[in-house]
Amino acid sequence: MSDPARFWRRSVWISLLVLLLSLLSLAPYLTSSTELVRMRHALLLSDSSNGGFSWTPANLPADFLLEGAPPYPLFVDVVSSLGLEEMPSDWERALAISRHLLGSNPVLSGGAIQSDLLDTYRRIVGNGEGYCGDFVRVFLGLAIAAGIPVRAWAFSFDGFGGHGHILAEIWNRQLGRWQLVDIYNNYYFVGVKGVPLSALEVRRAMLEEPASLQFEPLHPGARPGHAIESKARDYYRRGLREWLMVWGNNVFSYDRALLVRAFGPFSRSLEQLGGIAQGVYPGIRILAEPDNQAQVDAIHRVRCHLLLVGAAALVALLALLISLAGWWRARRDLTLRSES
């Protein structure tokens, strides 16, 4: 075989090797669902400066994915059937939504639903299924349908991986303040003044004055997240160093997105990648502090790794295509010379 053909053949194999090694370096993130979440969080990292959490609906950050699509008719009907418009305050509306989700089925069996928003709502109220993420997505949808400004917080126990919890926070327009709702665990939180607290206030109380923080049920007749309150306090305390805000509340826009709907029936992970590619999957913003700098640095290293892998794989793929074309041309030229 001539030298050009040999050169291009070697280039093909080298490109394939680089591409394969790049993809194999992602193997540690494919070992479990929690590691897949860590990879997703790394891809979605936004500016983690602490100044990014004090905003209100009146001064919304420009890059926050605010829901602008109309709610599903079913969600509008639920809001109407619950009589939310007649209630005097957003807090009463939040309680009514919570009690609807927690009390519609006498047995809450848990289990991740991993489906679209309509199916998730029906399975929560009909079968008692759903994990925290399912409950929060539906809560956000119903709150948006009721006109309540809302956002989500989360915390983790494993360095911003998938072992963690997610909560909703409403903007009480009557009081002009955020208030936290742990819909899945059936809790809200009050301080010394008896007013339901915001996420940052709850976190600060857990760190500085845990005795001042009271846990109250959203639905007195539904199961609590923990039968023993001290266990619940330990649960939240373990996640205090790894809080983050979900940088968007666009649950309806996400659900309707083309790539989300195309990939959703095949894989939840593919669906989320489709949402990221289409720009409808909200980013995350980490509450960075000196005490969690090691975890923040670690998730940024994961992000750098993923970006390097993406760049290397793209270059290797491009080189592979060029090498295959060069090899084909070299072999064609050799064949033509041999025939002439």
Side-chain angles (χ1 to χ4, degrees):
M1 185 176 291
S2 67
D3 288 342
R6 185 178 295 111
F7 168 80
W8 288 116
R9 185 181 65 181
R10 288 175 179 171
S11 297
V12 167
W13 287 111
I14 291 171
S15 301
L16 279 172
L17 181 61
V18 172
L19 181 60
L20 180 61
L21 290 176
S22 299
L23 296 177
L24 283 176
S25 72
L26 299 178
Y29 307 118
L30 306 177
T31 56
S32 68
S33 59
T34 59
E35 290 302 318
L36 284 171
V37 172
R38 190 189 316 281
M39 182 168 64
R40 186 191 72 203
H41 281 168
L43 287 172
L44 295 170
L45 275 177
S46 182
D47 176 18
S48 59
S49 61
N50 288 350
F53 303 103
S54 59
W55 56 271
T56 71
N59 61 346
L60 188 78
D63 56 345
F64 185 87
L65 291 182
L66 181 69
E67 183 60 271
Y72 288 134
L74 174 61
F75 279 61
V76 175
D77 291 343
V78 171
V79 165
S80 177
S81 68
L82 293 176
L84 300 189
E85 292 184 358
E86 291 75 33
M87 294 180 182
S89 74
D90 286 333
W91 182 247
E92 290 181 75
R93 297 181 186 99
L95 289 177
I97 294 170
S98 302
R99 290 167 182 169
H100 172 63
L101 296 178
L102 290 166
S104 293
N105 193 286
V107 177
L108 294 175
S109 58
I113 295 175
Q114 297 185 343
S115 185
D116 62 73
L117 200 57
L118 289 170
D119 185 50
T120 299
Y121 167 76
R122 293 185 179 108
R123 289 166 66 176
I124 286 174
V125 300
N127 305 332
E129 298 178 54
Y131 272 170
C132 56
D134 301 310
F135 274 78
V136 167
R137 286 177 62 227
V138 171
F139 181 93
L140 295 182
L142 290 171
I144 290 167
I148 306 171
V150 67
R151 63 189 188 183
W153 285 86
F155 58 80
S156 68
F157 308 111
D158 60 350
F160 301 106
H163 181 37
H165 188 51
I166 186 168
L167 315 91
E169 192 177 40
I170 71 155
W171 176 256
N172 188 322
R173 291 169 292 181
Q174 291 71 45
L175 298 182
R177 59 182 288 119
W178 291 105
Q179 294 178 314
L180 189 66
V181 175
D182 187 348
I183 175 65
Y184 181 71
N185 280 330
N186 190 19
Y187 293 129
Y188 69 94
F189 311 88
V190 299
V192 291
K193 296 182 180 180
V195 177
L197 300 177
S198 70
L200 292 177
E201 289 170 332
V202 169
R203 186 176 180 277
R204 188 180 307 117
M206 289 290 293
L207 286 168
E208 299 174 2
E209 298 180 278
S212 70
L213 186 65
Q214 301 299 314
F215 287 47
E216 301 291 343
L218 292 162
H219 189 321
R223 61 104 180 93
H226 299 268
I228 302 173
E229 186 176 302
S230 62
K231 298 289 186 182
R233 290 179 178 269
D234 288 342
Y235 177 78
Y236 292 104
R237 192 177 297 114
R238 286 192 293 118
L240 287 176
R241 303 302 178 190
E242 299 182 22
W243 277 56
L244 59 89
M245 184 184 290
V246 180
W247 213 241
N249 65 3
N250 57 322
V251 291
F252 297 111
S253 300
Y254 174 86
D255 213 47
R256 292 181 170 117
L258 176 63
L259 294 181
V260 169
R261 297 180 69 86
F263 295 143
F266 302 101
S267 164
R268 184 68 167 175
S269 297
L270 279 177
E271 173 203 299
Q272 293 173 348
L273 283 175
I276 293 171
Q278 196 167 337
V280 295
Y281 201 105
I284 64 167
R285 183 162 293 191
I286 292 173
L287 180 60
E289 299 179 311
D291 287 347
N292 67 2
Q293 193 60 51
Q295 294 98 315
V296 173
D297 289 344
I299 195 69
H300 275 282
R301 286 195 295 271
V302 174
R303 178 177 175 82
C304 289
H305 178 204
L306 294 176
L307 293 177
L308 286 172
V309 166
L314 185 61
V315 170
L317 183 59
L318 181 61
L320 176 61
L321 294 174
I322 293 172
S323 300
L324 285 170
W327 191 17
W328 178 81
R329 285 196 302 269
R331 289 174 61 87
R332 183 195 59 184
D333 293 344
L334 180 62
T335 301
L336 291 175
R337 285 198 301 270
S338 64
E339 293 175 350
S340 60

